[in-house]
Amino acid sequence: MGKDWFEVTINLVKMVAVFLMMVQAVPVLVWVERRGSAFIQNRLGPNRVGPLGLMQLLADAVKFLFKEEFLPQSGVKLLYYGAPVMALIPGVLAFAAIPLSTPIEVSAFTMNLPILTSLNGSYGPYTFLFQGYEFGIGIVFVLGVSSLGAYSLLMAGWGSSNKYSLLGALRASAQMISYELALGLSLVGILLVYGTFNFSEMIAIQQGPLRFMFFGQEHSWGFLPNWGIFYQPLGALLFFAATFAESNRLPFDLPEAEGELVAGYHTEYGGFKMLMFYIGEYGHMMVASALLATFYLGGYAFPVVGWTTEAVSSFWVAKLGGTTLPSVITALCFFICLLVKIGFFLWVFVWVRWTLPRFRYDQLMDLGWKTMLPWALLNVVVTAIWLVISHS
Amino acid sequence: MLTIQDFMFYLLASGALMSGACVILLQNPIYSALSLAVAMVSIAGIFYLLGAFFIAAVQLIVYAGAVMVLFTMVLMLFDLKHEMKTFSKGVISGALKIACTGLILGLIMGAVMLAGGTVLTPQLPDAARSMEATRGLSHVLFTDYLFAFEAIGALLLIIAVGAVTLSRISGGTHAD
């Protein structure tokens, strides 16, 4: 956690900040979803409360908090109340492991407070990573905690003792297990190319112009950045499709198909408990968008070839001097760049939801097992052969 | 002085033991399955503390994330009142349970004794070293233990084919 109390405090604050960031983004996403769907369907959407209807979020949150609290008559109390909390955990843990920007360097300083004199003293230079916590195994950890998401749906489905909820939960867990396979396999190709599980190392590899080995000779294309999507277009497509199924959104929203199952696993939930399921779903989307950006679009890197982390950092050092301030500004620049990429993918999630119709159950299983799994396997084999040939 | 590693170990170990006890003590099979999932997550955390990062994540993905989800899903599909009565009471099934537990306990104790106390070597988690450990694991898996690895793969394939065959013969769920 850290050497002294200052580092420990900052690291703990970072964990809370990541959680709050995810939760606070949800009202904005709900607004984007409602306004976006209205835009796509030629309606206006919520536009009465505040400028552009933005205050609608506040009104909704207050409404959710003041709704009546109830438990279904033969519901199982522990599972019923535990499920919405469990829905938040995987998304938050996964999001904490993704690097959001360049590390912040804090130069050595001495603290000289008039009160709390026991804290005074000199503090050495620190390096704070711009992420909740660094796991060396990166993507494997993210896949591990994301796979726990199925429990929240199962607990909700069984705990509310409602046939629609149970059917929704069974569909959801079957779907998540089926598509986890395609999700994991679609990533094997890009992991072979990078040769690491660690997100920071992946982003470091994607810096600079596009360069690749071909029959032992290195070629470099100066005008394109060295992003994963140019090496693994098929893998990117499969991963993107599988993340829709993992976050249970249209066209994969069979677990909550309104026409058949009322609302699926959260039929019996109202008020803030339902909102927590929504936070979990949007958290899944944010993790998926951040992963797509990290794997295939260079993470927090700028799309301009010359603007590497070193170049931007040295630009701000030359302009401002010192260590701490330029590194904070550099981190903010790259953070905004990553936010733009995440925002783009989140908009695509909304766009697809309101454009495509829902799959039938047999179509869903055919797509998962008979289409995406073989293509993902083919991608792995072709990538492995290509790597052996090009590096020989 | 209790370090953070010690604290985490005691937390996770007690969590694993308690949920393990819940698996056999609770009457409702759904609760047993969920407790088993909690035990698996705790054991994944202990693997992480021991520096086996990849094993920890795979434990989460495979056991907690896929196997136990399937178990829970299947259990939820059945009306389990009858099974609850037959399997939780009775002298023979109780004796069988104790015998099985004793066998497994003896196996684990024997393994620990034979290893001469070198089973648990404390290692601090280190983000930079984790990739090396994973690389080493995969290298050993695909060179020294290649035959065992492939044999287990073939065994799992046979099990899958067998399960499909059993469900297809008359009387199964997909009988013609």
Side-chain angles (χ1 to χ4, degrees):
Chain A
M1 287 303 292
K3 292 187 293 287
D4 48 40
W5 68 269
F6 185 75
E7 201 169 2
V8 171
T9 316
I10 295 281
N11 281 330
L12 290 177
V13 167
K14 265 188 339 191
M15 297 291 285
V16 179
V18 167
F19 173 69
L20 287 181
M21 195 156 72
M22 215 185 93
V23 174
Q24 293 301 312
V26 170
V28 183
L29 282 173
V30 172
W31 178 81
V32 168
E33 180 112 51
R34 294 182 68 184
R35 290 289 290 198
S37 71
F39 171 65
I40 287 165
Q41 297 174 340
N42 226 348
R43 297 182 281 117
L44 280 175
N47 65 348
R48 296 286 124 178
V49 194
L52 293 171
L54 271 166
M55 289 297 125
Q56 183 73 42
L57 327 164
L58 204 64
D60 278 348
V62 172
K63 181 191 78 178
F64 276 130
L65 278 172
F66 282 96
K67 278 205 167 186
E68 190 191 340
E69 163 70 45
F70 65 90
L71 177 75
Q73 199 179 12
S74 54
V76 183
K77 210 169 183 180
L78 179 70
L79 298 185
Y80 179 78
Y81 286 116
V85 181
M86 187 65 204
L88 292 181
I89 294 172
V92 175
L93 280 181
F95 201 64
I98 299 171
L100 301 174
S101 187
T102 51
I104 291 179
E105 312 271 349
V106 176
S107 51
F109 63 96
T110 49
M111 196 168 283
N112 203 4
L113 297 169
I115 49 164
L116 293 173
T117 43
S118 61
L119 298 181
N120 286 342
S122 57
Y123 291 93
Y126 302 105
T127 304
F128 293 113
L129 297 173
F130 210 108
Q131 71 194 83
Y133 182 75
E134 186 176 36
F135 291 91
I137 45 170
I139 177 59
V140 194
F141 172 79
V142 170
L143 287 180
V145 290
S146 308
S147 66
L148 298 180
Y151 283 108
S152 122
L153 313 185
L154 280 173
M155 281 159 74
W158 199 75
S160 27
S161 89
N162 177 323
K163 285 196 175 63
Y164 293 124
S165 304
L166 185 59
L167 283 173
L170 294 177
R171 278 188 184 184
S173 46
Q175 177 180 316
M176 282 178 100
I177 290 175
S178 305
Y179 279 83
E180 228 158 59
L181 225 58
L183 185 85
L185 270 177
S186 66
L187 283 178
V188 174
I190 199 86
L191 291 178
L192 283 174
V193 172
Y194 293 146
T196 176
F197 288 142
N198 192 315
F199 291 127
S200 309
E201 285 175 32
M202 283 179 198
I203 294 167
I205 289 170
Q206 293 182 69
Q207 299 269 335
L210 186 67
R211 55 190 181 277
F212 52 91
M213 301 286 284
F214 196 64
F215 288 105
Q217 280 183 319
E218 191 173 294
H219 299 259
S220 176
W221 291 6
F223 55 93
L224 284 175
N226 193 28
W227 285 358
I229 192 155
F230 299 118
Y231 299 102
Q232 288 282 315
L234 180 63
L237 189 69
L238 290 170
F239 180 73
F240 185 52
T243 52
F244 275 92
E246 285 289 303
S247 53
N248 290 325
R249 281 176 70 83
L250 263 169
F252 295 96
D253 78 331
L254 280 102
E256 42 190 287
E258 301 95 336
E260 307 147 37
L261 295 177
V262 189
Y265 56 88
H266 55 61
T267 303
E268 294 285 352
Y269 286 88
F272 213 79
K273 294 200 288 300
M274 198 192 76
L275 190 63
M276 279 165 89
F277 278 112
Y278 272 92
I279 296 174
E281 185 186 315
Y282 284 112
H284 253 115
M285 281 162 58
M286 285 173 69
V287 170
S289 307
L291 284 181
L292 273 164
T294 307
F295 281 122
Y296 299 110
L297 295 186
Y300 47 71
F302 282 105
V304 185
V305 171
W307 296 6
T308 55
T309 43
E310 292 87 16
V312 175
S313 168
S314 55
F315 169 78
W316 285 113
V317 168
K319 199 130 195 163
L320 298 167
T323 316
T324 314
L325 187 63
S327 94
V328 170
I329 303 237
T330 310
L332 280 180
C333 289
F334 282 105
F335 183 51
I336 290 168
C337 182
L338 181 70
L339 281 186
V340 169
K341 286 176 192 174
I342 291 179
F344 168 73
F345 281 118
L346 286 173
W347 169 247
V348 175
F349 270 96
V350 172
W351 188 5
V352 168
R353 173 170 178 182
W354 296 99
T355 311
L356 294 181
R358 183 181 302 136
F359 286 124
R360 249 186 3 248
Y361 199 73
D362 60 324
Q363 290 174 330
L364 176 93
M365 286 295 155
D366 272 4
L367 181 68
W369 290 100
K370 292 187 187 165
T371 311
M372 282 173 64
L373 191 63
W375 278 105
L377 274 171
L378 181 80
N379 188 35
V380 172
V381 172
V382 169
T383 309
I385 292 172
W386 177 62
L387 280 178
V388 170
I389 289 175
S390 63
H391 286 270
S392 60
Chain B
M1 180 61 194
L2 198 68
T3 62
I4 186 112
Q5 267 80 24
D6 291 345
F7 175 73
M8 286 307 289
F9 172 76
Y10 286 119
L11 190 77
L12 291 166
S14 55
L17 285 177
M18 273 193 284
S19 48
C22 285
V23 175
I24 49 170
L25 292 178
L26 289 174
Q27 295 261 316
N28 192 331
I30 304 268
Y31 286 145
S32 295
L34 288 177
S35 317
L36 192 53
V38 175
M40 300 218 171
V41 173
S42 312
I43 290 168
I46 292 174
F47 275 133
Y48 190 88
L49 282 183
L50 289 172
F53 306 101
F54 187 71
I55 308 276
V58 167
Q59 169 95 7
L60 275 184
I61 297 175
V62 175
Y63 286 105
V67 174
M68 281 321 295
V69 170
L70 276 179
F71 273 26
T72 323
M73 194 174 119
V74 171
L75 282 175
M76 283 179 180
L77 269 177
F78 295 130
D79 184 25
L80 291 158
K81 296 208 175 65
H82 180 63
E83 277 81 357
M84 253 196 269
K85 261 183 233 151
T86 25
F87 282 105
S88 30
K89 301 277 175 333
V91 182
I92 296 171
S93 69
L96 208 65
K97 274 182 209 166
I98 292 170
C100 288
T101 317
L103 265 177
I104 292 173
L105 191 67
L107 203 67
I108 294 168
M109 291 297 281
V112 173
M113 294 293 214
L114 284 178
T118 52
V119 174
L120 299 175
T121 43
Q123 284 178 328
L124 298 180
D126 181 3
R129 222 197 47 231
S130 69
M131 200 57 214
E132 287 312 304
T134 314
R135 241 183 224 124
L137 178 77
S138 55
H139 196 257
V140 169
L141 210 58
F142 282 99
T143 51
D144 294 359
Y145 299 101
L146 184 64
F147 178 72
F149 184 71
E150 294 291 340
I152 290 171
L155 185 68
L156 286 173
L157 185 66
I158 292 166
I159 292 169
V161 171
V164 172
T165 318
L166 280 178
S167 69
R168 285 252 164 212
I169 56 175
S170 62
T173 47
H174 290 73
D176 299 317

